[in-house]
Amino acid sequence: MEEVKLFGAWPSPYGYRVIWALELKGVKYEYIEEDLSNKSDLLLQYNPIHKKIPVLVHNGKPISESHVILEYIEETWPGNPLLPSLEDPHGRASARFWTKFIDDKALPFAMLLMTDGEELEKAAKEVREILKILEEQGLGEKDFFGGNEIGLADLAMGLIASSFGVIEELAGVKVLNGDEFPGLCNWVKKFKENPAIKKNLPDPDQMFVYYKQKREMLINSRAALSYK
Amino acid sequence: MAQVILLGAWPSPYVYRVIWALKLKGVDYEYVEEDVLNKSDRLLKYNPVHKKVPVLVHAGKPIAESAVILEYIEETWPQNPLLPKDPHERALARFWTKFGEDKNPALFGFFFTEGEQQVKATNERQEQLRILEEQGLGDKKFFGGDEIGMADLEFGWLAWWLEVLSEVAGVKVIEAESFPRLYAWIQRFKEFPTIKETLPDRSAMLTHCKARRARFLALAKS
């Protein structure tokens, strides 16, 4: 019998990517919520190098790093594929390219949460540029980054559909708007409509409380640092 | 056979990773040297998002980002595989490849600093090398096991570039006494026939790296 465990920490978008992949493929798993301020011995044992979530443990063997986990899930449970077939290596490369793209751009998104004033304006500008590239070159005319169906790149972009709106609200900015980004807004709608995704989205009100607290803490600690 | 073109810039280790992958699999390709300070229309057309090398162009279709290119090469030309068959082993290979991508800047840091900053960068680097030595490589011949794999290509720069950078920066990095396994791996990697034929010329690299370090330090002071 197969044993699949997922160590995550709500509402981490990296954790959610893995949840969505497992749910889309109908893989049964046990979810274990980690307290990142008090990491369990199990987490430290399964991910000794980075000590982070998500970690997937399959029949006792751990895999860490979200995109590595997603490739593992795709190879181990090939039903409902998240990558184009091996007959289309360029399509597969494209999915990996866009996954890496959004992963490399984590900082500007984080800055939206962590800053105010001039720094926030700068972060919003950077995020707008990123969204523009996604709209025009990533998505293009397609419904999903993966084409007609949700794929790996869509899961990587998932934060734009789940937490981004809340972070925008807290920062008092509106970057993702329907006029500038009709494709992306359509993508958000279709992504959230998918039954497996819909059942597994973080609650917006709970996210608001969580990110509000985080934002205040981060802004205060950055202010404190700047006085050194 | 569809044409394979590699856009690169000497002596980028990211480009060399792709060269090694193509050569290890016996794939014929045309190499095109790009001037990264004066980017060609061709590069901008094939990598509009990042405008960087390496870019692989296969049957007219471009693929950018060295890690993505390596996966593409592995899937398109499966001979002499760079990834194991077992899914968990594959995940480990990808994990270490990502570790390299994330930590390479930390490993490079000592080259672009001096004095106290260099000491700090050096300590960080030692920590990451220790992880590589004990957990990444362990008792294996290569990161990939008995054969060169994707993770070996990711760390390949340690086998050649690091030596040159160390000489230029006046810092000893991987020695047999402190990192016996990494040291032994470096010798094996450098001596591997396909790799040996392909390493960039050492004295040309010394000149190049000396100039780069001087530029960086001058910029830091200004």
Side-chain angles (χ1 to χ4, degrees):
Chain A
M1 211 208 71
E2 284 206 333
E3 196 193 46
V4 183
K5 294 187 188 193
L6 173 61
F7 290 78
W10 187 93
S12 160
Y14 299 102
Y16 267 97
R17 291 177 182 182
V18 181
I19 290 172
W20 292 328
L22 293 167
E23 294 280 343
L24 283 164
K25 286 171 179 281
V27 177
K28 287 202 172 10
Y29 64 101
E30 180 195 341
Y31 177 80
I32 296 149
E33 178 73 17
E34 275 288 326
D35 175 0
L36 295 179
S37 62
N38 186 19
K39 294 173 182 178
S40 73
D41 288 338
L42 268 182
L43 178 64
L44 300 177
Q45 176 199 329
Y46 285 136
N47 190 0
I49 292 170
H50 299 301
K51 308 174 177 56
K52 285 180 172 178
I53 58 96
V55 178
L56 190 79
V57 185
H58 183 207
N59 294 336
K61 290 187 181 175
I63 304 110
S64 37
E65 292 293 319
S66 69
H67 90 272
V68 177
I69 296 173
L70 292 186
E71 295 266 6
Y72 179 86
I73 289 172
E74 178 67 3
E75 286 172 0
T76 307
W77 295 281
N80 291 353
L82 296 170
L83 277 176
S85 81
L86 282 166
E87 328 271 291
D88 181 14
H90 194 259
R92 291 165 74 90
S94 179
R96 289 170 175 140
F97 175 89
W98 289 107
T99 300
K100 187 171 202 306
F101 178 85
I102 197 71
D103 277 352
D104 290 346
K105 303 294 181 190
L107 186 58
F109 284 90
M111 293 296 260
L112 272 191
L113 181 66
M114 294 199 274
T115 57
D116 52 15
E118 230 176 79
E119 276 191 296
L120 173 61
E121 263 180 60
K122 182 165 170 262
K125 192 159 172 268
E126 273 185 67
V127 170
R128 177 170 273 113
E129 314 260 317
I130 292 166
L131 294 184
K132 194 158 182 280
I133 294 175
L134 289 179
E135 171 90 12
E136 292 168 10
Q137 305 193 54
L139 204 53
E141 299 299 309
K142 309 194 298 289
D143 271 345
F144 297 106
F145 290 90
N148 294 327
E149 306 284 342
I150 287 180
L152 279 197
D154 298 277
L155 300 189
M157 303 289 174
L159 72 102
I160 295 173
S162 61
S163 52
F164 188 63
V166 171
I167 292 173
E168 276 185 305
E169 201 186 321
L170 286 165
V173 298
K174 187 80 190 129
V175 185
L176 183 57
N177 62 80
D179 294 323
E180 277 181 87
F181 306 106
L184 274 178
C185 288
N186 177 56
W187 173 83
V188 168
K189 183 166 161 285
K190 285 201 145 53
F191 184 79
K192 283 160 67 160
E193 272 169 9
N194 176 291
I197 304 291
K198 194 169 177 174
K199 271 196 305 198
N200 293 284
L201 284 169
D203 177 79
D205 296 325
Q206 285 178 7
M207 271 201 291
F208 189 87
V209 172
Y210 173 86
Y211 282 117
K212 184 164 190 272
Q213 218 178 31
K214 224 178 165 192
R215 180 174 163 79
E216 279 162 13
M217 195 184 73
L218 287 166
I219 290 180
N220 288 338
S221 66
R222 280 172 70 84
L225 279 174
S226 68
Y227 283 111
K228 280 200 174 153
Chain B
M1 200 201 79
Q3 202 192 20
V4 182
I5 302 174
L6 172 61
L7 306 184
W10 186 91
S12 160
Y14 299 100
V15 170
Y16 271 86
R17 294 173 70 192
V18 179
I19 291 173
W20 291 329
L22 292 168
K23 285 206 185 280
L24 284 165
K25 288 169 177 282
V27 177
D28 279 326
Y29 66 99
E30 180 196 337
Y31 178 80
V32 176
E33 177 75 14
E34 284 285 339
D35 178 359
V36 293
L37 298 173
N38 186 19
K39 292 174 184 179
S40 70
D41 289 338
R42 176 186 51 220
L43 177 60
L44 300 177
K45 170 179 131 183
Y46 283 135
N47 191 0
V49 174
H50 299 300
K51 309 173 176 56
K52 285 180 172 178
V53 292
V55 180
L56 192 78
V57 186
H58 183 210
K61 291 188 183 177
I63 304 106
E65 293 291 328
S66 64
V68 177
I69 296 172
L70 289 190
E71 294 268 6
Y72 179 88
I73 290 172
E74 178 68 0
E75 287 175 355
T76 308
W77 296 282
Q79 67 273 23
N80 294 353
L82 296 170
L83 283 175
K85 280 197 169 31
D86 173 70
H88 190 254
E89 296 293 312
R90 288 163 79 86
L92 283 176
R94 288 178 172 129
F95 174 88
W96 287 106
T97 302
K98 180 141 208 329
F99 181 90
E101 277 172 33
D102 292 344
K103 302 297 180 187
N104 273 341
L107 295 170
F108 271 110
F110 76 97
F111 177 67
F112 298 116
T113 50
E114 353 170 65
E116 208 186 285
Q117 271 205 328
Q118 191 179 59
V119 173
K120 186 162 171 258
T122 303
N123 290 336
E124 218 198 310
R125 183 199 70 217
Q126 296 300 90
E127 213 184 293
Q128 305 309 330
L129 288 177
R130 185 62 50 201
I131 293 175
L132 274 186
E133 165 95 4
E134 290 168 11
Q135 305 191 56
L137 191 57
D139 290 320
K140 305 196 300 288
K141 197 170 155 195
F142 294 106
F143 285 91
D146 290 327
E147 306 288 340
I148 287 180
M150 218 174 253
D152 296 276
L153 299 190
E154 172 63 40
F155 292 113
W157 79 276
L158 290 177
W160 193 248
W161 282 252
L162 187 62
E163 221 184 290
V164 173
L165 293 176
S166 308
E167 189 179 321
V168 169
V171 175
K172 279 203 193 314
V173 187
I174 298 179
E175 297 174 281
E177 303 82 48
S178 45
F179 297 106
R181 289 153 161 165
L182 278 178
Y183 185 82
W185 170 81
I186 285 173
Q187 311 318 312
R188 275 193 291 270
F189 187 82
K190 277 197 302 196
E191 287 301 310
F192 195 87
T194 312
I195 306 291
K196 191 174 180 168
E197 293 151 15
T198 326
L199 294 170
D201 177 75
R202 193 163 196 276
S203 56
M205 274 192 71
L206 268 170
T207 312
H208 173 89
C209 290
K210 277 190 177 122
R212 278 194 76 187
R213 177 167 157 83
R215 268 206 305 274
F216 261 98
L217 295 178
L219 270 172
K221 285 194 165 87
S222 65

